[in-house]
Each structure stands twice: as C-alpha cells, then as structure tokens.
Amino acid sequence: MLLVAHGSRDPRAADATRALARAVAAARPGAPVLASWLDHTEPGPTEALQALAAAGHSRAVLVPLLLTAAYHRRVDIPAAVAAAQRSGPPMQVRVTDVLGPVRSEVDPALLAGLRRRLDEAESGAYDAVVLAAAGTRDAAARGSVGRVAAALGSALNLPTRVSYASAAPPDAGAAVTRLRAAGARRVAVAAYFLAPGLFHDAVTASARAAGAIAVASPLTDAPDLVDLILRRTTPT
C-alpha cells in the first residue's frame, strides 16, 4: 500500500504522514505500507512505486491522502502512476478514492475522526462549530467541504460554518465572528486537515483572535482515519 500526501515545507506534516503509515501498517500486518509525497518531501509517488516494483511487488494500492478530489487527485497522481509504469518494472496500480466525500457521501469514519479531535480539544459544551479547511479554487472541491460541514453540523445538532486557510473566503476568524454575531457564545473549530503545518497554525491564530474557545488538532493518525483508509483499499 502506498499513501500519497500533499507535502509541506513544515517537517511536522511529513512526521504526521509517517505516523499514519505506521498506524495503517499495524492495523493490517503482512503487507508493506509506504508513505510518499507530491511535493517537498521524498520519495515522490513515482519513485515509491518504482521501488516497490523493483522489490518484486506486482500490485499496489495507492491511497491519496487528500480530502478533496481536486487537481492533485485528477492530474498529479495519475501522472505519477503513469510515469512509474513507463519507466519501471510492470506493476498493477489501483488508485482509491480520496478520503473526503465520494459523490454525495460523507464517510461516517471521517465524521468520527473530526468529532474525536473536537472532543480532545474541548470536552465541555460548545454551541457552534467552524469547519476549517485548507482551501481550494475548485468549486466542486469546496462543495465537498460544504457537505462535510453540513454532515458534521447535523451529527452535532449545531450551527456550522466553513472556513478556508487560503484560496477562498472566509478565514477561520471571520467564520467565528459570524457565528458569534448570530448568537453563539462558545464556538469550537474542527480542523479539516490531515497534518499540522502553517495552514493549521494560521487557522488557530485567526480563530483564537476572534474568540473561539477551542481549535481541534488535525486528524493525523486518528483510529477513525486508519479505518477509513483500510476500507478505501478494500474493493467493493
């Protein structure tokens, strides 16, 4: 199994991906689980697939550690697989869906992971939630983030807004401010991130400055995320 993360200049992100790979490997012993990155950290997915093929593996399952099916899933990952198949020993590669919503379905394990991290950040009561995401210019990807926010709000029975760390408004602070203006007094922020880094740091600072009572940690190696990855790799 090959996990493919976005990649970051922040070393905490790569450490989180490695921890997730170890957790997945522990949950499914007997098959190698490798981590790779599209940018900033080595190996890239092409090199990782080539190494697996050179080691004698004829099949691999590639899991995009992405929360939306935007450019990286549509373009970068297929290109990496094609490059590995052109230049390395023959290998059959199956690419799974991303970890975010597939069509209109929000996986219960994803919601469970978000709720787990919220509970860890704030065990007391909160009366509204901001779902903070990295951000994208892709309208369909933003729509999928909105579906997660709606599902999370429904599960918690609380008003929920989306915010973005880049590429689209509002930022976390603005979303917190709007909820407080609508009457919420204890706003918590759910982090729609797989790993820590500069975006999550920016979300934390912005939300805290606007009066949020808690900002959840990224999903990293949450057991719910491990479960979701294992089910993504099981053919239906």
Side-chain angles (χ1 to χ4, degrees), residues 39-115:
D39 203 2
H40 301 300
T41 305
E42 295 181 348
T46 296
E47 292 74 24
L49 288 170
Q50 289 171 336
L52 285 170
H57 297 283
S58 60
R59 295 182 298 167
V61 178
L62 185 155
V63 183
L65 298 183
L66 304 170
L67 293 170
T68 62
Y71 186 86
H72 294 302
R73 173 60 182 87
R74 296 197 314 269
V75 178
D76 289 340
I77 286 177
V81 172
Q85 291 176 327
R86 283 196 306 269
S87 56
M91 170 180 273
Q92 180 182 345
V93 181
R94 178 169 64 87
V95 181
T96 75
D97 289 318
V98 298
L99 303 181
V102 178
R103 293 168 291 279
S104 60
E105 178 186 356
V106 179
D107 195 285
L110 182 59
L111 294 179
L114 292 170
R115 294 183 69 173

Side-chain angles (χ1 to χ4, degrees), residues 25 57 91 138 154 168 171 177 208:
H57 297 283
M91 170 180 273
D138 187 304
S154 178
D171 67 9
T177 297
R208 289 289 193 182

Side-chain angles (χ1 to χ4, degrees), residues 166-195:
S166 69
D171 67 9
V176 170
T177 297
R178 290 175 188 176
L179 285 168
R180 286 169 57 84
R185 290 295 172 262
R186 293 177 59 80
V187 181
V189 178
Y192 197 47
F193 294 91
L194 295 176

Side-chain angles (χ1 to χ4, degrees), residues 126-146:
Y126 43 91
D127 55 9
V129 175
V130 171
L131 182 72
T136 174
R137 293 183 177 85
D138 187 304
R142 290 197 303 274
S144 78
V145 177

Side-chain angles (χ1 to χ4, degrees), residues 3 15-27 65 67 99 107-120 191 193-196 216-231:
L3 308 182
D15 288 343
T17 302
R18 294 185 187 102
L20 178 58
R22 290 193 295 270
V24 173
L65 298 183
L67 293 170
L99 303 181
D107 195 285
L110 182 59
L111 294 179
L114 292 170
R115 294 183 69 173
R116 177 190 297 271
R117 294 298 190 228
L118 270 174
D119 289 344
E120 291 169 353
F193 294 91
L194 295 176
S217 298
L219 291 163
T220 57
D221 58 348
D224 319 276
L225 190 64
V226 173
D227 176 62
L228 175 54
I229 289 170
L230 293 179
R231 286 189 289 106

